[in-house]
Amino acid sequence: MIRCMAIDDEPLALQQIVAYIGKVPFLELAAQCQSALEAKAFLEQDTVDAVFCDINMPDLNGMDFVKSLAVPPLIVFTTAYSEYAVEGFRVNAVDYLLKPFGLQDFQRAANRLKKRLEGSMADAHSVVGDSVADTIFLKTEYRIVKVNISDIRYVEAMSEYLKVYLDSDKKPIVTLLSLKKMEERLPDNFMRIHRSYIVNLNKIQEVNKNRIIMDADTYLPIGDLYKDTFQQYLDTKFLGK
């Protein structure tokens, strides 16, 4: 179970987050607070794994609250103000929920929390040279093949199937799997950029308008629903004016 805290100065918004936490089986509500000061007092006496935190709050806003913590838990920011998104990524937030958000959006953020926490636990227990956590197994035709996650360039959805493109093989692996399931399994350097594509951010060569260029022959579209999230990622990496 992931022990979490909900912080929001608006009672109805706080009530909604608490209700959503109750609907996710692997989340456990440890505390609900109507101010960052109240949350800080709680954390002086107890610990949590994750915090769902509003940003625009009186006395101490959510961003400054997170920055004030010596060892902050995993953070998901919730706010009605999109201009905070880039700053949220700078403090290594797991996700950023723009109000009003629904249960599906909340579930996505919860899954990212779970993936990040499981990754941290795997790192803590890993043995030097052990790469099991960096691999997945995919069923293709009559075989089950081992794939190094770092070898994946991008993933393309085609109806009920996926095409997994690798650096090490010109021919993609075709497997019966949903893009959502693959997205949940891949680490944070992979991003959904389109309803049909997940891309390894480390493999991108160029971004040109609404396209990602992987190489001279591969251009991937950026879907309208994913533009803002991808732009937020670019803003954290961009150098220059």
Side-chain angles (χ1 to χ4, degrees):
M1 296 291 285
I2 301 175
R3 280 172 51 83
C4 53
M5 170 190 289
I7 312 170
D8 201 303
D9 64 310
E10 299 178 6
L12 289 179
L14 182 61
Q15 183 179 352
Q16 182 191 53
I17 295 172
V18 170
Y20 285 166
I21 290 172
K23 293 179 183 295
V24 180
F26 54 82
L27 296 183
E28 175 187 1
L29 181 66
Q32 51 180 303
C33 304
Q34 287 191 267
S35 73
L37 294 177
E38 182 184 349
K40 197 167 184 178
F42 176 88
L43 291 177
E44 290 174 356
Q45 306 295 326
D46 205 342
T47 60
V48 296
D49 300 310
V51 174
F52 293 89
C53 184
D54 186 24
I55 294 179
N56 192 26
M57 295 185 290
D59 298 324
L60 180 64
N61 69 47
M63 199 69 67
D64 290 337
F65 161 70
V66 172
K67 292 177 181 178
S68 73
L69 299 176
V71 184
L74 299 179
I75 304 294
V76 173
F77 283 119
T78 63
T79 182
Y81 300 91
S82 60
E83 61 267 26
Y84 288 115
V86 172
E87 191 175 359
F89 281 103
R90 286 175 181 159
V91 297
N92 201 30
V94 174
D95 208 344
Y96 181 96
L97 293 173
L98 187 63
K99 297 177 181 178
F101 55 86
L103 179 58
Q104 185 175 1
D105 296 320
F106 186 88
Q107 179 74 62
R108 182 201 69 219
N111 288 336
R112 288 183 175 175
L113 280 175
K114 184 179 180 183
K115 184 162 59 175
R116 180 77 67 87
L117 192 61
E118 288 174 345
S120 299
M121 293 173 65
D123 290 343
H125 293 90
S126 64
V127 178
V128 175
D130 181 8
S131 61
V132 174
D134 299 326
T135 62
I136 56 176
F137 287 85
L138 298 175
K139 185 175 182 180
T140 178
E141 298 177 338
Y142 300 103
R143 302 177 297 136
I144 296 177
V145 297
K146 179 180 177 181
V147 177
N148 292 323
I149 291 177
S150 61
D151 193 29
I152 299 174
R153 300 178 66 229
Y154 65 96
V155 182
E156 179 183 7
M158 300 187 66
S159 187
E160 298 177 345
Y161 290 85
L162 296 183
K163 285 186 175 181
V164 181
Y165 292 84
L166 308 175
D167 276 334
S168 60
D169 195 338
K170 291 184 178 180
K171 184 179 179 181
I173 294 173
V174 180
T175 183
L176 180 61
L177 191 67
S178 71
L179 197 64
K180 181 180 179 181
K181 190 72 174 178
M182 177 65 84
E183 183 180 15
E184 291 173 356
R185 177 61 182 84
L186 293 174
D188 291 341
N189 59 297
F190 286 82
M191 181 179 288
R192 182 88 168 260
I193 60 161
H194 187 274
R195 61 185 178 86
S196 299
Y197 292 99
I198 296 173
V199 65
N200 185 339
L201 299 170
N202 296 333
K203 308 288 186 180
I204 295 174
Q205 289 191 2
E206 186 178 332
V207 180
N208 189 334
K209 296 182 179 179
N210 294 326
R211 299 187 304 175
I212 289 174
I213 300 174
M214 304 298 292
D215 55 47
D217 301 314
T218 308
Y219 301 80
L220 305 181
I222 303 172
D224 290 340
L225 293 177
Y226 305 90
K227 285 181 182 178
D228 290 345
T229 302
F230 184 70
Q231 185 61 51
Q232 290 162 15
Y233 163 77
L234 286 183
D235 289 342
T236 66
K237 302 294 183 181
F238 186 77
L239 295 179
K241 297 181 180 179

